Amino acid sequence: MINEQYFLKLPKDFKNKCKIYPPSVKEVVDNEYFSKYRYLLTITQEEIEDEFLNKKNENKEISAIPTPFEFLLATSFHNKEIEKLAKEAFYFFIKSPITFLYDRKEILLCDLEKTIKESNSIKDIKRKFITIKEDEYFDFQNAIRESLGEKKVEPPDPDEDPRVKRIKAKARYRDKIKAKKGMGISLGTLLASICCMGIGINPLNVGELSYASVDSLIKTYQEKEKYETDIRALIAGADSKKIKPKYWIRNLDE
């Protein structure tokens, strides 16, 4: 179920620390690094485990598997290009610069050097010293997913049976292979479809929609079409035992 603020492209508060701004379709299409931003800020524990498992299968030496927060800090610390991308990713979603406090294992939600220069006192600096820590980062990731119209993920179970983990990892691998082969419907095709819905959206204004609303609009329209088709079929004499119209105005993911 899509969040109404993100649907309307309105920013939403995250734990009184920052606001998360849902991107428009135009902002996503116009930014060549969007997919990298999304990857860096929403990678899951399972995806990290899969990457490390692949390294193990390639006979590469691996250390302890990091959490998404540790993964972001570690990759940013060791690779300045990734650090730059990560900072851009945060700015893309929260409209504020950030500083990685590697020694403290925190993400400061401002430019530390600029804050120090512009502050008149230690008290003023402390007032602006708002950070995201490991225990808050999972919720932050889910907030980013929500702003893109994606489902929240459940936290990993630390006590999950290793055999079950391996089975799930293999299933994810098969799903990735299928996804690569099928590739799915392109964003351009989805946008063209929305322009043909007769709801006042056209190529001149479709870019102003929130990116989060695209999937929701498509799915809702599909449900509306199916409902109307089923009703017409029943009126025409179709078997009511085989066709059970479901009213289209409902929470589709429930």
Side-chain angles (χ1 to χ4, degrees), residues 45-46 49-50 52-54 56-57 65 157 159-175:
Q45 185 68 53
E46 291 78 13
E49 288 175 1
D50 290 347
F52 274 67
L53 184 62
N54 289 336
K56 186 177 180 181
N57 291 338
I65 297 175
D157 180 5
D159 301 318
E160 188 172 47
D161 189 316
R163 290 170 296 181
V164 174
K165 271 192 174 185
R166 285 195 293 272
I167 292 170
K168 286 183 178 179
K170 288 179 181 178
R172 286 194 299 273
Y173 178 75
R174 288 194 297 269
D175 290 343

Side-chain angles (χ1 to χ4, degrees), residues 199-236:
I199 57 175
I201 302 298
N202 59 62
L204 298 178
N205 60 21
V206 70
E208 303 307 316
L209 291 173
S210 68
Y211 181 77
S213 71
V214 171
D215 190 55
S216 181
L217 285 170
I218 292 290
K219 287 180 178 176
T220 301
Y221 190 78
Q222 287 174 331
E223 287 297 316
K224 182 175 182 288
E225 272 194 324
K226 186 178 185 309
Y227 175 75
E228 291 174 346
T229 300
D230 286 348
I231 291 296
R232 285 196 294 269
L234 289 174
I235 292 173

Side-chain angles (χ1 to χ4, degrees), residues 3-248:
N3 178 274
E4 59 273 16
Q5 284 175 263
Y6 292 144
F7 184 88
L8 295 174
K9 207 172 63 178
L10 298 173
K12 187 180 177 187
D13 181 73
F14 175 72
K15 299 191 176 195
N16 293 319
K17 290 177 175 286
C18 64
K19 287 186 181 295
I20 293 176
Y21 293 78
S24 67
V25 167
K26 186 185 292 183
E27 287 172 322
V28 167
V29 173
D30 194 43
N31 195 308
E32 62 180 311
Y33 299 112
F34 170 72
S35 60
K36 293 180 180 179
Y37 295 168
R38 172 194 255 159
Y39 170 80
L40 284 170
L41 297 190
T42 65
I43 188 169
T44 64
Q45 185 68 53
E46 291 78 13
E47 287 170 334
I48 294 172
E49 288 175 1
D50 290 347
E51 285 193 19
F52 274 67
L53 184 62
N54 289 336
K55 287 181 181 178
K56 186 177 180 181
N57 291 338
E58 293 169 6
N59 295 319
K60 292 182 179 179
E61 188 177 339
I62 61 171
S63 54
I65 297 175
T67 64
F69 187 75
E70 292 169 336
F71 178 80
L72 177 66
L73 289 182
T75 52
S76 297
F77 180 77
H78 292 291
N79 189 318
K80 290 303 171 186
E81 187 177 335
I82 291 178
E83 182 185 55
K84 181 175 177 289
L85 277 172
K87 288 182 176 180
E88 289 175 2
F90 273 94
Y91 194 87
F92 184 82
F93 286 103
I94 70 174
K95 309 303 181 194
S96 171
I98 61 105
T99 304
F100 289 116
L101 304 177
Y102 296 113
D103 55 334
R104 295 169 59 108
K105 293 187 178 179
E106 296 177 36
I107 299 170
L108 178 65
L109 301 179
C110 69
D111 184 321
L112 181 58
E113 289 185 15
K114 188 177 179 182
T115 299
I116 292 173
K117 287 178 183 177
E118 294 178 353
S119 299
N120 298 317
S121 65
I122 296 296
K123 186 177 180 181
D124 194 26
I125 295 174
K126 286 183 177 179
R127 182 177 60 81
K128 299 174 182 176
F129 211 85
I130 300 171
T131 65
I132 292 178
K133 302 177 183 178
E134 169 83 60
D135 60 349
E136 300 161 319
Y137 190 66
F138 182 82
D139 291 336
F140 179 79
Q141 284 190 299
N142 267 337
I144 296 295
R145 292 184 186 102
E146 244 195 322
S147 77
L148 297 173
E150 299 174 5
K151 289 183 179 180
K152 294 182 179 181
V153 303
E154 294 296 321
D157 180 5
D159 301 318
E160 188 172 47
D161 189 316
R163 290 170 296 181
V164 174
K165 271 192 174 185
R166 285 195 293 272
I167 292 170
K168 286 183 178 179
K170 288 179 181 178
R172 286 194 299 273
Y173 178 75
R174 288 194 297 269
D175 290 343
K176 283 181 182 178
I177 297 298
K178 286 180 183 177
K180 282 183 179 178
K181 287 181 179 178
M183 295 305 287
I185 300 175
S186 71
L187 178 58
T189 299
L190 294 177
L191 297 181
S193 301
I194 291 174
C195 290
C196 295
M197 287 181 182
I199 57 175
I201 302 298
N202 59 62
L204 298 178
N205 60 21
V206 70
E208 303 307 316
L209 291 173
S210 68
Y211 181 77
S213 71
V214 171
D215 190 55
S216 181
L217 285 170
I218 292 290
K219 287 180 178 176
T220 301
Y221 190 78
Q222 287 174 331
E223 287 297 316
K224 182 175 182 288
E225 272 194 324
K226 186 178 185 309
Y227 175 75
E228 291 174 346
T229 300
D230 286 348
I231 291 296
R232 285 196 294 269
L234 289 174
I235 292 173
D239 189 348
S240 60
K241 291 181 180 178
K242 294 181 179 179
I243 297 178
K244 304 287 184 183
K246 260 186 162 184
Y247 193 54
W248 61 279

